[in-house]
Each structure stands twice: as structure tokens, then as C-alpha cells.
Amino acid sequence: MSSKPFALTPGEPAGIGPDLCLLLAREQQAQPIIAIANCALLAQRAQLLGLNIQLISVTPDAFPEQPAPAGSQYVWDTPLGAPVTAGQLNPANAAYVLETLTRAGQGCMDGHFAGMITAPVHKGVINEGGVSFSGHTEFLAELTNTEQVVMMLATHGLRVALVTTHLPLKDVADAITPERLSRVTRILHNDLRDKFGISQPKILVCGLNPHAGEGGHLGHEEIDVIEPTLEQLRAEGINLIGPLPADTLFTPKHLEHCDAVLAMYHDQGLPVLKFKGFGAAVNITLGLPIIRTSVDHGTALDLAGSGNIDTGSLQVALQNAFAMAASQA
């Protein structure tokens, strides 16, 4: 395992991200984790939750190489823009949220961190704070000068990557071009190999249309775009099965020996994954020069400070980040 610490960003300060950091600190973790957060905010939230967590301030010139003891949390103190009340958004803290992400991402680029794990942000309040922000993925792509990234969600026994992400359904078919499909597939293949240590990844590919087009009777995208592109990629040595009908691909017969599924659009693949592992799934950004995993849920403002939250997704995000770092060591 890596001796470098991992960065943990708590996301929206009024949401459950700070709670997750503190609940995580109740037990010693397998690797050192540094919360990039405001110490006073964490202390305030710990008091609200009735948790006795020792906050240990650290700086980049002396990051620890050993995990914090149970009941304690390493913190790289980051200044807030305004005081925080659990459950109440404040645009004045937009810059704080982005600063935590910048410190984590740049720290990974500079070799201070082995990877970063992100708790949920609130896109709307960041934009209200005067910053154009479309999401973690786009922010980190720009920070690391990465042209193309791929969204993949994973849970125990299933990984699903997406060719298209947050598009209206009417725009999906036009967005699936040979160029895009090729780029996404290569990134998926390369990261399964390089970041997950799978020497010869096997990828199942969904068709776009019902029954994968049924020979052109239910759509021509498979014939015109998907099948020819997959053939070219197979010639490069990428192990691709498909395009297969999505309604039968997600069955044990097909999934038993595959390493990932490539879905054509968001709601083709993710409902299956979330049904299988909701609360224990992780969002992984592929294509970045750094390791980044994230929880698969939102800020849950109504639960902030209540103690009534599940750390399962964060635990899976940590486990995946640790495993990816170990495969690169």
C-alpha cells in the first residue's frame, strides 16, 4: 500500500460531507487520510453529532505517513468564507469548496497525495456564489489539463462506464460518434489495466437501441457506428463483447466473467448498478492523471448534523482509491 496520504474533501459544508469525515474518524483507516476542511467547522459539527474526535492539524511540508489513530482526524485547515449552519446553503462558501478541491487535486499532481476522495458538492450554490461550476469531474479535468474523462460507477461485482453522461435522451444518438466511442473505450480499457491492475480487461458493450437494433429493424446506430468502431478497437487488442441488448446484458451469464460494462447513456447502465449497490457504490473518474473516487449520493442537507447517515458509499470510495493506488505502486 502507498505510504502517501489520501486527500478527503468534505464538499458542501452545510451538507453531510463534514459528518462523513467525522464518522469515518471513529475507526483507524488502512491508509492515512487528510481531510481538507475547516477545523472549526469540523469541531462544530462533531459537537452537534456528539462525537469526541481529535482534530490534528497538518500541513503539506509534514504530511503523516501513518493512519490517524481511532478517534482522530488529520485536517489541512482551510478557511471558510462565512460561518456554517448545518442544512443551510450559503453562496459565500463557494470559494471555500473550490479551494478544498484545488488543494486536493494539485496535491495529487504534485505527488503529496496518493489520490483524492470527494464528498458531494452543491453545484447550484457554487454558481450562485459567482463561479461557473458544472461538477467535480469537469473541474478536475480543467485543473489537470485533461481533455477527455469518463464517468464510471462501481459497486461490489459490477462496474459501469458511460459513453454519454448528462444529456437529454433526444441528444444521445447524435452524441455517439465513432470518435467519442473510441476515446471513451480506450480510456476505460487503459485505466482498467493501469489503475486497477487488470492485465487483459474484458468489456461488455451495450447497444443503443432495444435488442441492440435487431439487425436494423429498431435503429441503425449499431450497424452504422457502434459495430464498426468496436471492430477497429478490437484490432488494437481491446477485448470487447457486443454490442449486446442492454435488457439481457445485465444478467449473471454475461456479467460473471467481465471487468466492466460500457453503457451508451446514463439511465441505461446506472439504474442497474444502483439497484445492485445503492449506498455502497462509488463514482470513479477515469482518464485523469490522478486517482479520484467519490460517493454516489448528494449533499443530503436535511440529514446534516442528524447523525442519521450511512457511510457505506464513502467506505467503498476509500477502498477503491486504496486499491487503485496499490495497483500503481
Side-chain angles (χ1 to χ4, degrees):
M1 300 291 282
S2 173
S3 61
K4 292 180 182 179
F6 290 77
L8 173 59
T9 58
E12 168 52 47
I16 62 170
D19 307 48
L20 290 170
C21 293
L22 293 163
L23 291 170
L24 187 74
R26 292 177 299 178
E27 300 178 1
Q28 180 173 309
Q29 300 301 312
Q31 293 288 299
I33 300 168
I34 296 173
I36 304 179
N38 181 258
C39 275
L41 165 65
L42 292 181
Q44 177 191 44
R45 194 64 60 86
Q47 184 177 20
L48 187 61
L49 293 169
L51 295 175
N52 183 21
I53 303 296
Q54 180 187 9
L55 303 176
I56 305 171
S57 183
V58 298
T59 55
D61 56 352
F63 278 157
E65 295 186 357
Q66 298 299 321
S72 62
Q73 174 70 67
Y74 296 131
V75 183
W76 183 1
D77 192 25
T78 307
L80 285 166
V84 175
T85 300
Q88 296 182 20
L89 296 172
N90 189 341
N93 281 318
Y96 159 78
V97 174
L98 298 183
E99 177 62 16
T100 65
L101 296 179
T102 300
R103 287 185 175 189
Q106 193 60 52
C108 290
M109 294 287 286
D110 294 341
H112 295 308
F113 298 123
M116 62 184 289
I117 301 97
T118 60
V121 297
H122 193 287
K123 299 175 189 176
V125 77
I126 294 176
N127 282 276
E128 289 174 16
V131 181
S132 179
F133 181 83
S134 55
H136 274 115
T137 302
E138 295 81 1
F139 182 87
L140 293 172
E142 182 176 353
L143 181 68
T144 59
N145 294 312
T146 303
E147 290 186 11
Q148 178 74 47
V149 293
V150 173
M151 178 179 175
M152 183 175 80
L153 268 72
T155 189
H156 300 294
L158 180 62
R159 302 183 184 99
V160 177
L162 303 176
V163 178
T164 64
T165 52
H166 301 126
L167 287 178
L169 195 56
K170 67 182 180 62
D171 297 335
V172 167
D174 289 341
I176 300 173
T177 63
E179 294 76 18
R180 184 174 195 154
L181 181 55
S182 296
R183 287 197 308 269
V184 169
T185 305
R186 290 190 185 104
I187 289 170
L188 174 59
H189 169 80
N190 291 339
D191 272 16
L192 287 172
R193 184 188 60 200
D194 300 338
K195 291 182 178 176
F196 289 84
I198 303 170
S199 58
Q200 295 181 315
K202 180 179 180 181
I203 300 168
L204 302 185
V205 182
C206 295
L208 172 65
N209 297 295
H211 302 175
E214 204 165 277
H217 294 287
L218 294 176
H220 287 266
E221 286 81 7
E222 285 78 11
I223 295 172
D224 296 340
V225 176
I226 299 174
E227 291 175 0
T229 303
L230 298 187
E231 279 301 311
Q232 293 178 2
L233 293 167
R234 290 187 188 103
E236 299 175 12
I238 301 177
N239 187 359
L240 302 169
I241 309 300
L244 298 173
D247 64 343
T248 54
L249 181 154
F250 289 99
T251 56
K253 170 187 172 182
H254 292 294
L255 295 178
E256 186 176 3
H257 301 295
C258 89
D259 297 299
V261 172
L262 183 59
M264 292 295 127
Y265 57 95
H266 187 281
D267 283 10
Q268 182 181 56
L270 297 194
V272 180
L273 183 134
K274 293 194 175 186
F275 177 77
K276 178 177 174 62
F278 191 73
V282 56
N283 188 340
I284 303 170
T285 305
L286 305 180
L288 294 172
I290 63 175
I291 291 170
R292 181 258 170 163
T293 66
S294 178
V295 296
D296 72 338
H297 56 72
T299 55
L301 294 167
D302 58 323
L303 298 178
S306 71
N308 185 28
I309 61 173
D310 187 345
T311 62
S313 182
L314 180 59
Q315 295 283 2
V316 177
L318 288 170
Q319 292 164 11
N320 274 269
F322 296 165
M324 291 167 71
S327 73
Q328 294 182 312

